Every structure is written in C-alpha cells, then in structure tokens.
Amino acid sequence: MLGGIGDGTARKLMRENRVKHYYIRSTYLIPKAWVIDYVLSDHYAEYKDQLKAQV
C-alpha cells in the first residue's frame, strides 16, 4: 500500500515514528487509516520525489 517499499524501509519509517503503528509482541500492526494519513503527509511527498529522482 505504500508504493512497493521494502520491509527494511517500512520498519525504518515505523522506528522514526513517521507511520503510526501498534507493536504487539513481535508483530507490527498498522491500521489502514494510519497508512492513508502517512500517504497524505508532507514527509511522504518529499520521500516520493526523492525516489523519482533516483530512477
């Protein structure tokens, strides 16, 4: 849902608290509404532009 990012990148975003999430035992849970909030955020817009520059 986040544009095909890798597992490591997703974990990095969660560690930096860019994406809200629950951590229960050894599982990360991210409600769909929180993913949508992140996709609409300024950080995601900047990150998406960085990826296009590298392609």
Side-chain angles (χ1 to χ4, degrees):
M1 194 167 178
L2 289 175
I5 64 170
D7 185 55
T9 304
R11 289 177 188 271
K12 178 182 170 189
L13 290 171
M14 288 184 279
R15 278 194 309 267
E16 293 175 351
N17 290 323
R18 303 256 185 219
V19 178
K20 295 180 191 176
H21 62 281
Y22 294 114
Y23 185 74
I24 299 175
R25 294 185 189 175
S26 62
T27 305
Y28 289 100
L29 301 171
I30 308 171
K32 184 176 181 177
W34 290 355
V35 173
I36 292 170
D37 287 344
Y38 174 69
V39 170
L40 296 175
S41 73
D42 293 333
H43 180 265
Y44 181 75
E46 292 173 11
Y47 180 71
K48 191 171 79 171
D49 288 341
Q50 289 175 356
L51 291 179
K52 285 184 180 179
Q54 294 178 359
V55 173

